[in-house]
Structures are given as C-alpha cells and as structure tokens.
Amino acid sequence: MQVTAAGQPARMRLSSVAGLRKKTLAAWAGRHLQPGTEVHSDGPACLRGVAGAGCEHVPRYLAEFRYRFNRRYDLEALVPRLLHASVRTSPMPYRLLTLAESCG
C-alpha cells in the first residue's frame, strides 16, 4: 500500500502468489516491489523471503484492518458487532495482545 506524506493510505495493490514459501515470496517481491520497500504482515516466517528482493519484513497485527475492510459497507453494524465480540471473548493479557509488535 502506498501512503501519502501524512501516512494516509493512497493506493493498494493485491495479487495472489503460488504458495507461502520464502522462495516464492522472494520471486513475487522481485517482480512487484522496489528494493527498500517495507512489507508489513502478521508475522509468518515465509514473508522473510522478501528480504531476498531487498525489502524489509516488519511483523504487525493486521486482523483489525481485515475486520474493518470486510465490513466497510455495513458501518452501522460495526460497533454493535464489536461489542458483541468483546463480551464473548475471554480476557487476554496485554503482553499477548502486543506480541506481534515485539517480533519486529
């Protein structure tokens, strides 16, 4: 995803890959990304393969983005669904919630 100088999303390109292997992702990154690109993910080890194309892999929690993106056309239901999920989810220690951020 390309961002503006203010850090706001400007463009995003999605494409499929043949498989989640370091070699496959290194080849994909070589075709689609410029060297020096910062690649954010939830942290799968296979994404370290983008380093083979001169990119940097940074683990980051992306499920929130996915949740909002998948529900972007039903914004009125977003808060009630979030409240429903929060009362049905077991408590989790803060250190586990932020674990992906510390794996960078």
Side-chain angles (χ1 to χ4, degrees), residues 7 10 12 15 19 28 32 36 48-50 59 71 76 86 92 97 99-101:
M12 180 170 57
S15 61
W28 176 87
H32 297 285
R48 292 185 196 125
V50 299
R71 288 156 181 83
E76 290 180 9
S86 66
M92 183 175 289
L97 292 172
L99 189 61
E101 295 173 8

Side-chain angles (χ1 to χ4, degrees), residues 3-72:
V3 295
T4 65
Q8 300 296 320
R11 287 186 268 194
M12 180 170 57
R13 179 179 181 201
L14 302 173
S15 61
S16 60
V17 293
L20 293 177
R21 294 189 174 92
K22 285 184 183 180
K23 284 184 178 182
T24 305
L25 291 172
W28 176 87
R31 286 190 307 273
H32 297 285
L33 304 176
Q34 294 180 1
T37 298
E38 204 173 82
V39 176
H40 293 260
S41 75
D42 282 345
C46 60
L47 280 168
R48 292 185 196 125
V50 299
C55 300
E56 180 184 356
H57 176 237
V58 181
R60 188 170 172 186
Y61 185 73
L62 299 177
E64 177 189 354
F65 170 78
R66 183 191 64 194
Y67 183 88
R68 286 185 293 150
F69 184 80
N70 289 340
R71 288 156 181 83
R72 67 193 178 280

